[in-house]
Amino acid sequence: MSPTADRAGDTARAARSTRGDKRRALLDGALLVFAEDGYTRASIDTIARRAEVSTRTIYNQFGDKATLFEAVIVDSAQRTADAQIIIVQRYLSKIVNIEVDLIEFGRVWVSSAPEQAPHFALVRQIHAEAGHIPEATLRAWQEAGPLRVRAAIAEHIRNIAKAGHLTVADADLAAVHLVQLVAGDATTRTYHGAIPLPAEELHRLADAGVRAFLHGYAA
């Protein structure tokens, strides 16, 4: 390859890296704005300032606010789901004592991760403004995040049942029950993480949820 071709390749790679950096900064900045202001109140100008990009960059990359909002929801949901699936794999892939191991999982599940705070602030805004958000955007969010996580939990529940620890007819429904029983009350009482509860109270709620789940599903 000639030196000229080498330089051309380096320039192209640098341009792709710059575009990627701008897109990442834009998604991160827009997440913070949408999490604070919601969809309807967030402005392109505010997002541009927070992301330190021009409004032209936003329109060039996404076209309009609705498309940007969907991209932010999907990106944030994917990253949060990736982190949650790691927890699922870590705590549900090898069960020895079903109650002890599920309690350990439940306590971790209800514990907030600071880096995920903007995502759950965005979730609060989504719930508040669901009637103003396109149905396709809501579906994209669910498929990128919550439904992926539920599928991962369901697969582990199937394996736990095969090992003889649980009696499960519908693993997908059992996954919903596990998450709701472990985290539902904590989610309601903290308003999706807006008002924190002491760790001891979160653990008490999670432990009670695990025991309720086992009352219905223990082999």
Side-chain angles (χ1 to χ4, degrees):
M1 184 178 291
S2 68
T4 301
D6 283 340
R7 287 195 295 273
D10 291 342
T11 300
R13 284 190 290 272
R16 287 194 297 270
S17 177
T18 299
R19 286 195 296 270
D21 291 345
K22 281 188 176 181
R23 183 179 177 86
R24 181 75 267 155
L26 180 47
L27 289 171
D28 290 344
L31 170 61
L32 295 176
V33 175
F34 285 131
E36 292 169 2
D37 297 341
Y39 172 66
T40 55
R41 288 185 297 150
S43 72
I44 292 294
D45 287 340
T46 302
I47 292 169
R49 285 195 299 272
R50 181 66 67 90
E52 297 182 348
V53 300
S54 67
T55 57
R56 181 182 295 275
T57 296
I58 296 176
Y59 289 117
N60 286 344
Q61 293 236 10
F62 297 99
D64 55 29
K65 187 171 78 167
T67 304
L68 172 60
F69 185 65
E70 180 171 333
V72 169
I73 287 178
V74 169
D75 176 72
S76 184
Q78 285 175 337
R79 290 191 292 162
T80 301
D82 289 344
Q84 291 179 326
I85 289 170
I86 289 172
I87 293 173
V88 171
Q89 292 170 339
R90 182 176 298 157
Y91 290 94
L92 299 185
S93 61
K94 187 176 181 181
I95 299 295
V96 177
N97 182 308
I98 186 66
E99 182 174 346
V100 171
D101 292 339
L102 283 187
I103 282 176
E104 185 177 14
F105 163 75
R107 290 184 174 193
V108 173
W109 193 255
V110 298
S111 300
S112 61
E115 66 274 13
Q116 294 174 4
H119 171 76
F120 290 107
L122 177 61
V123 170
R124 291 194 295 273
Q125 296 286 4
I126 292 171
H127 284 293
E129 296 190 75
H132 303 286
I133 299 172
E135 184 179 349
T137 300
L138 296 175
R139 282 200 306 270
W141 159 51
Q142 287 289 308
E143 291 168 2
L147 292 180
R148 282 179 57 218
V149 176
R150 188 174 81 183
I153 295 173
E155 184 59 31
H156 283 284
I157 286 177
R158 289 187 191 94
N159 293 333
I160 294 168
K162 288 177 183 176
H165 298 292
L166 300 173
T167 299
V168 175
D170 184 335
D172 291 317
L173 186 58
V176 173
H177 289 163
L178 178 60
V179 171
Q180 289 297 321
L181 288 167
V182 166
D185 193 23
T187 299
T188 299
R189 290 173 59 180
T190 63
Y191 299 91
H192 289 273
I195 303 174
L197 289 176
E200 296 80 3
E201 181 63 6
L202 287 174
H203 292 173
R204 186 184 72 82
L205 297 174
D207 293 357
V210 166
R211 293 189 177 104
F213 176 81
L214 291 175
H215 183 76
Y217 286 102

